[in-house]
Amino acid sequence: MRNLAILGLAPLLALAACGENTGWNPNYSAMHNGSRYAEYLQQREQALHGHGPVPDAIPVQLPVRAPTAAEIAGAPAKKPGQMTVTTRPVTVRPGTAAPVAASGATPVLVRYAHQESQNPGQTKYPRSGVSANAAARACLAFPSVNAAQTAFIAAGGPVIDPRGLDPDGDGFVCGWDPRPYRQSRL
């Protein structure tokens, strides 16, 4: 009888040892990490037990770091020694079409420039723990400011800044300036 009880408890102990709720499973690991998704999970559990209101929406949690285009293609990204940004004034005569945005412009960048109304340097998004020096070093990983801005948007910017590219919280990274794009008609 004792052996039968041990055999009956063995599968139960094996399942308990799996650690289903101890962090390896991504469905449960976010329960206590302080993110918005963790808050949602805790509110949902309280609602399921009748101790609180049902959450209104499930927040989207983006990955910490999105792969670069070069990583997706399988080639290592080139690291330029120094990135410089130059701007030149644009004059438009009345009755003529506005110039197309700077070389390398994509519809994503043009749309983003039009949706964000602040100018570079005007803080709009809260940031903490990112220094300007760390952001400048991170910018060196990109071949151009357009590539850096596109990667920033793809990684969840401007709401989140997982790569630390936007220390001032203006939504623009690595010296990217939206003003020329706001004049384009793309």
Side-chain angles (χ1 to χ4, degrees):
M1 188 65 152
R2 182 177 179 192
N3 290 340
L4 189 57
I6 291 174
L7 287 176
L9 287 176
L12 181 62
L13 293 174
L15 286 175
C18 286
E20 176 70 20
N21 297 322
T22 59
W24 73 268
N25 186 329
N27 294 324
Y28 298 105
S29 65
M31 191 72 161
H32 302 290
N33 67 5
S35 67
R36 287 184 23 212
Y37 189 70
E39 292 172 12
Y40 159 76
L41 289 176
Q42 291 168 0
Q43 289 175 356
R44 185 191 69 180
E45 288 298 316
Q46 289 175 350
L48 288 173
H49 292 284
H51 299 296
V54 176
D56 294 332
I58 300 172
V60 176
Q61 187 168 359
L62 300 174
V64 174
R65 185 180 101 50
T68 64
E71 289 171 338
I72 292 171
K78 294 180 182 178
K79 293 190 175 190
Q82 186 174 0
M83 189 181 318
T84 58
V85 178
T86 57
T87 60
R88 59 185 172 93
V90 177
T91 56
V92 179
R93 284 181 243 126
T96 62
V100 174
S103 172
T106 65
V108 170
L109 293 178
V110 174
R111 188 177 330 112
Y112 182 75
H114 284 280
Q115 86 181 28
E116 295 294 323
S117 60
Q118 74 280 7
N119 285 323
Q122 292 177 321
T123 301
K124 182 175 179 182
Y125 302 97
R127 301 282 188 252
S128 64
V130 179
S131 71
N133 290 335
R137 284 191 304 274
C139 287
L140 293 176
F142 298 97
S144 69
V145 294
N146 287 346
Q149 187 67 34
T150 303
F152 173 70
I153 295 167
V159 176
I160 62 171
D161 184 17
R163 295 183 182 172
L165 296 171
D166 184 25
D168 60 356
D170 63 356
F172 311 121
V173 301
C174 303
W176 188 79
D177 190 349
R179 292 174 285 205
Y181 296 89
R182 292 174 182 156
Q183 297 173 1
S184 73
R185 294 189 180 182
L186 285 181

